[in-house]
Amino acid sequence: MRIAVLSDIHANLPALDAVLAALGEVDAIWHLGDVVGYGPHPDEVVARLRDVEAIGVRGNHDEAALGALDVTYFNPAARWAVEWTARRIAPETRAWLQDLPERLEIEKITLVHGSPRDPTWEYVTTTPAARANLAASATTQCLHGHTHIPIAWRDDDGHVEAVRPSDGFELVLDERRVLLNPGSVGQPRDGDRRASAMVLDTEARRVTWRRVEYPIAAVQADIRAAGLPAWLADRLATGD
Ligand code: ZN
């Protein structure tokens, strides 16, 4: 089975469409949450994911958009964007987000937004956090997002190795425990402004990272037209 793995789409429809086109024919589309938040197209992104029958989990921004979360923990600009999303989304978008579980296990692979031990919130950015979460995962392979940085954390006999993939990088999946992060479709933060995603091939037992150009200026215009904060548009241009 060839699976597109998408995370942190953040209501950026042109980035989602560019990634779906670039990855080509797949058997399934899995997402790792933060479908909405920050970006100007929450209803459109959810409609597209529904059309392509994507399955996935809930992120902290999805939860915030449902009003299920105390947003005083968000920084003021993020909070503003969260409240914009919560006000704007259609009832069917809300219902779709509401149905997302915080964790899924499919084909012996775990899907979470943050980490296996804290599915919605934890950022796995350090070796100690990766080590603890490799141990906490119920499956050998775990897919997660939240940091917006493409990376693989692999347990090699107690030594935790961080693999930083570039466009086209392939990682063979074996018996070693691994956390796989596809990076962000709609708001990359690793200094590369291109959308980031992953293709998982369960028969060939390998995963491939991809970077995809999309029309950033069009999204920036939609951000401005929606009255969302200007820093959101600036950030897309730099990818940080
Ligand atoms: Zn996110």
Side-chain angles (χ1 to χ4, degrees):
M1 196 152 93
R2 208 169 162 270
I3 303 152
V5 182
L6 316 178
S7 192
D8 297 277
I9 301 164
H10 281 292
N12 183 337
L13 185 67
L16 172 60
D17 281 343
V19 164
L20 291 175
L23 298 189
E25 192 84 355
V26 288
D27 303 301
I29 296 168
W30 294 355
H31 74 84
L32 308 176
D34 278 9
V35 169
V36 303
Y38 294 135
H41 314 120
D43 288 334
E44 296 86 341
V45 162
V46 167
R48 180 75 80 250
L49 290 180
R50 194 192 288 118
D51 283 351
V52 298
E53 294 174 7
I55 51 176
V57 294
R58 189 191 292 193
N60 53 311
H61 279 265
D62 306 320
E63 204 163 309
L66 293 168
L69 199 69
D70 181 0
V71 291
T72 52
Y73 293 108
F74 282 63
N75 71 57
R79 186 169 157 186
W80 206 96
V82 160
E83 286 166 354
W84 180 90
T85 303
R87 275 198 310 273
R88 185 188 187 276
I89 53 173
E92 54 269 32
T93 300
R94 185 178 297 277
W96 189 89
L97 293 171
Q98 192 83 57
D99 282 346
L100 296 174
E102 67 172 17
R103 183 195 307 268
L104 273 177
E105 194 182 314
I106 321 168
E107 308 257 324
K108 294 187 182 150
I109 298 168
T110 299
L111 283 69
V112 287
H113 180 62
S115 76
R117 67 178 178 183
D118 183 356
T120 309
W121 280 101
E122 185 182 13
Y123 292 93
V124 181
T125 54
T126 65
T127 302
R131 179 176 288 112
N133 278 294
L134 284 161
S137 177
T139 57
T140 305
Q141 288 129 22
C142 172
L143 309 175
H144 72 128
H146 194 38
T147 62
H148 297 211
I149 309 280
I151 192 167
W153 299 95
R154 185 164 61 180
D155 180 356
D156 197 6
D157 245 348
H159 170 75
V160 175
E161 177 191 7
V163 180
R164 296 174 197 279
S166 51
D167 182 30
F169 182 83
E170 278 187 15
L171 187 73
V172 173
L173 303 174
D174 50 28
E175 74 291 342
R176 284 176 285 186
R177 299 174 75 78
V178 68
L179 308 174
L180 299 162
N181 188 327
S184 169
V185 170
Q187 198 197 76
R189 290 182 195 159
D190 63 340
D192 183 338
R193 61 186 222 162
R194 295 175 296 174
S196 188
M198 219 161 61
V199 177
L200 169 65
D201 189 324
T202 55
E203 266 103 65
R205 297 178 64 78
R206 70 168 178 245
V207 62
T208 309
W209 280 263
R210 292 288 309 277
R211 299 308 286 250
V212 181
E213 296 280 3
Y214 71 93
I216 289 174
V219 184
Q220 291 174 317
D222 288 348
I223 287 171
R224 284 189 285 268
L228 282 159
W231 66 270
L232 287 166
D234 299 343
R235 198 161 188 181
L236 292 182
T238 53
D240 63 13

